[in-house]
Amino acid sequence: MCLNKNSFWDFGDSNKDLKKLFVLKNKFFFFFVFILFFLVGLMFHLYQLSLLLTYNFFFMNSCNFSLIFLLDWLSLMFLSVVFLISGCVFLYSLGYMSGDSYVIRFYFLVFMFVCSMFFLIMMPDLMCLILGWDGLGLVSYCLVIYYQSDVSLSSGYLTLFINRLGDLFLILSICWCMNYGCWHYFYLFTFDNLNIYMIFFLILACLTKSAQFPFSSWLPAAMAAPTPVSSLVHSSTLVTAGVYLIIRFSKFLSSDLIFFLINLSLLTVLLSGFGALYENDLSKIIAFSTMGQLSFMIFSIVMGSHYLGFIHLLIHAIFKSLLFLCSGIFISLLMGSQDIRNMGNLGLQSPLISSCFLISLFSSCGVPFYSGFFSKDLIIELVVLSEINFFYLLIFFFSIYLTLVYSFRLFYFLFICKINFMIFNLIDNKYMKVSCLFLLFMSIIFGSCQFWLLDLCYVNVFDEYYKFLIIFFFIYFFIYFNVFTMLNMNLSSFIVYFLSQMWFLPFFSSTFIVSKFFNKSNFLFSLIDLGWTEYLVFTTIYNLIKNLNMHLDSLHLNSLKMYMLSYLMFIFFILMI
């Protein structure tokens, strides 16, 4: 029987039903795990329970090497949302990736991605956590270069390099943590404070994973991956790993680190806001929105509301995944065009998906009473109640203002402008629509359900007049939107060009970091592996070891030589005595 070299990954065109059955089984498994983990997480939160499963490997040098799984309401709730979005992504991929020749390879990579996130969430041990941390970086690289083009390859290199830089910081933190004799969260919590360098390296690793300034250039570049992957990466897996780890170690944040994180998060919010305002690629605009929301979460965590930041992380994962899935359908309708200037009046051409997109966009803006409003509005009120510098408070509100601006700009180009590109690729796939409708239902009720089931108190600082300011903002920008349109098209000013190019971060990252690194690697490869060094150094050492090994073999196979050598060694031993 002759097998094709790709037979392991591809079942063939004659077995399309087998592919659908494979994905549907995974989808039902993910939805079942979502319900199970969500209910168990509610029970753990209600009774304040934590379950620790450990297996000790060995004990060496006062350090305990063990495999640990921690079950508490944080990990269970987060895992429930991860499995929910993964199930919707698998179901969505049945329609979106239907024409791909290697779709089973894609499913296996996504499944490995989810497994890596499972290990990162469940393991409260830095030594074991790096398995999921490295797994996320490696599988994300494989998914970014999935389409095998030059753009995908350069984007994958940038993503891999910055994530490996974060791995280096995490390894340094693990090495420093060995002084405490253990790498577990709960053991480290017994200390009043930890070494500042260890926490600093850990925070740097989290900043690289969450694409905060100055490690932000890889997140828009990762849009080269397929849209289902972008939905999973930007909602609940790769970029949220750093925020989750900051929540776990928020107890050890000193005043200097809090000051450092406040400045970086506000800089990233401004960077993402201006980048989305001057960007015309639909996927990159949503990527900038993700970057700003992550900075919003980190800002709320360092201001003392780490549990509220975690709730916003869960709610954001739901509506941001829906936003990406709807944008993938729009891109497919327009034959792969991602420029928002080619779109227009999509509400008439695809009313159902347009409704899903608008609801997720309203949740991102915090419009009452969608799911994003419940967490975002409470974070704003708690920031107002906290003791914060007025300059930081001004930048914080200006960043929220920018979120509203680029969201309304996206709404204007997609649904108000005239039709600039007639749709010929009509998509009527039930799997894509069902996944979007399910996430639509969750985007509406998930925020209120979280606050109701988790019994979180709600503090009202603003009166009803301030609550409805967002409506007046919409009216204001509807009247003066031509000013922003002219500003967007006129890139002659250096300031506008600087803001539209992410403050030149992609240029420095790709030219002075990644390119220099790979050029140096190519130089060393040419010098050592392809040059005279291979013959002068390594070949000489190899021949020396080879000749020595042949000589030892001859001694071993010749009994007379071995006898004489043993006799001489015995005589030498006697004389020494």
Side-chain angles (χ1 to χ4, degrees), residues 15-25 94 431:
N15 293 325
K16 290 183 179 180
D17 294 334
L18 186 59
K19 295 179 182 180
K20 292 182 179 180
L21 183 62
F22 170 78
V23 179
L24 288 175
K25 284 185 177 181
L94 276 178
Y431 298 113

Side-chain angles (χ1 to χ4, degrees), residues 487-500:
L487 185 63
N488 187 20
M489 299 305 173
N490 184 15
L491 297 180
S492 59
S493 174
F494 176 77
I495 298 177
V496 176
Y497 185 73
F498 174 75
L499 296 176
S500 62

Side-chain angles (χ1 to χ4, degrees), residues 118-310:
F118 172 82
F119 286 118
L120 187 140
I121 295 173
M122 298 296 291
M123 290 184 172
D125 186 283
L126 293 180
M127 185 66 74
C128 299
L129 179 140
I130 199 171
L131 298 176
W133 191 276
D134 272 339
L136 287 174
L138 178 61
V139 180
S140 64
Y141 169 73
C142 297
L143 288 171
V144 170
I145 65 171
Y146 180 79
Y147 284 136
Q148 300 179 8
S149 62
D150 293 336
V151 176
S152 300
L153 184 61
S154 59
S155 302
Y157 277 151
L158 182 60
T159 303
L160 179 66
F161 184 83
I162 296 182
N163 279 276
R164 292 304 295 172
L165 185 63
D167 297 341
L168 173 63
F169 292 136
L170 184 61
I171 291 172
L172 291 175
S173 180
I174 290 173
C175 296
W176 205 288
C177 191
M178 191 174 181
N179 296 325
Y180 298 98
C182 191
W183 293 275
H184 309 327
Y185 293 158
F186 57 89
Y187 179 77
L188 296 177
F189 287 162
T190 59
F191 294 91
D192 294 332
N193 52 15
L194 297 178
N195 190 279
I196 185 64
Y197 297 107
M198 172 195 161
I199 301 298
F200 181 70
F201 288 140
L202 189 66
I203 293 300
L204 286 180
C206 297
L207 294 178
T208 57
K209 216 69 166 181
S210 298
Q212 300 299 296
F213 183 85
F215 312 107
S216 305
S217 58
W218 71 268
L219 192 61
M223 291 295 99
T227 301
V229 175
S230 301
S231 175
L232 192 61
V233 166
H234 289 255
S235 60
S236 60
T237 51
L238 181 64
V239 296
T240 57
V243 180
Y244 177 75
L245 207 57
I246 291 177
I247 293 173
R248 287 295 191 182
F249 282 88
S250 59
K251 173 186 175 182
F252 303 108
L253 295 178
S254 61
S255 58
D256 295 332
L257 287 177
I258 289 175
F259 177 75
F260 173 73
L261 287 176
I262 286 176
N263 286 277
L264 281 188
S265 60
L266 291 178
L267 280 175
T268 311
V269 168
L270 293 177
L271 170 67
S272 61
F274 284 112
L277 184 61
Y278 295 109
E279 183 61 54
N280 294 317
D281 193 311
L282 178 59
S283 298
K284 289 186 178 181
I285 291 174
I286 305 176
F288 281 123
S289 175
T290 303
M291 192 189 305
Q293 294 289 339
L294 292 172
S295 306
F296 190 80
M297 298 171 201
I298 293 176
F299 185 81
S300 64
I301 291 168
V302 298
M303 292 302 296
S305 304
H306 51 279
Y307 287 137
L308 188 57
F310 177 74

